[in-house]
Amino acid sequence: MDHKKFMLELQKRTGLDKSRLVSLLKTTQEVIYEQQINLNSIYLDGIGEIVPKKRLEFIYKNPRNQEVVLYPPRITVHFKPQISK
């Protein structure tokens, strides 16, 4: 399903016009992003869980030229699908 078909299906099921639907999706995206920055998991019922993990900084030394590079800490996001029976 491409983006256009997805948006049309959402419009049909929710009864919202396109501008309100886009606004709702953008707001949802912003909330998810803010929660990920704060390292909070987000559980979506019937879909799964979005889990942020903070990776520590580390030092990498290139074996060829002995150059040392410091990689800063970063947040990675993992998705755990819900297993339904």
Side-chain angles (χ1 to χ4, degrees), residues 45-56:
D45 192 30
I47 299 174
E49 185 176 14
I50 301 171
V51 181
K53 294 184 180 179
K54 187 169 186 177
R55 297 190 64 185
L56 300 176

Side-chain angles (χ1 to χ4, degrees), residues 7 16-30:
M7 293 298 283
L16 297 173
D17 61 347
K18 186 176 180 180
S19 62
R20 291 202 60 202
L21 185 62
V22 169
S23 174
L24 175 68
L25 291 174
K26 282 185 179 184
T27 304
T28 304
Q29 180 183 4
E30 290 171 2

Side-chain angles (χ1 to χ4, degrees), residues 29-42:
Q29 180 183 4
E30 290 171 2
V31 169
I32 290 172
Y33 180 73
E34 289 170 4
Q35 294 304 312
Q36 296 298 308
I37 288 176
N38 295 327
L39 298 176
N40 296 328
S41 296
I42 299 171

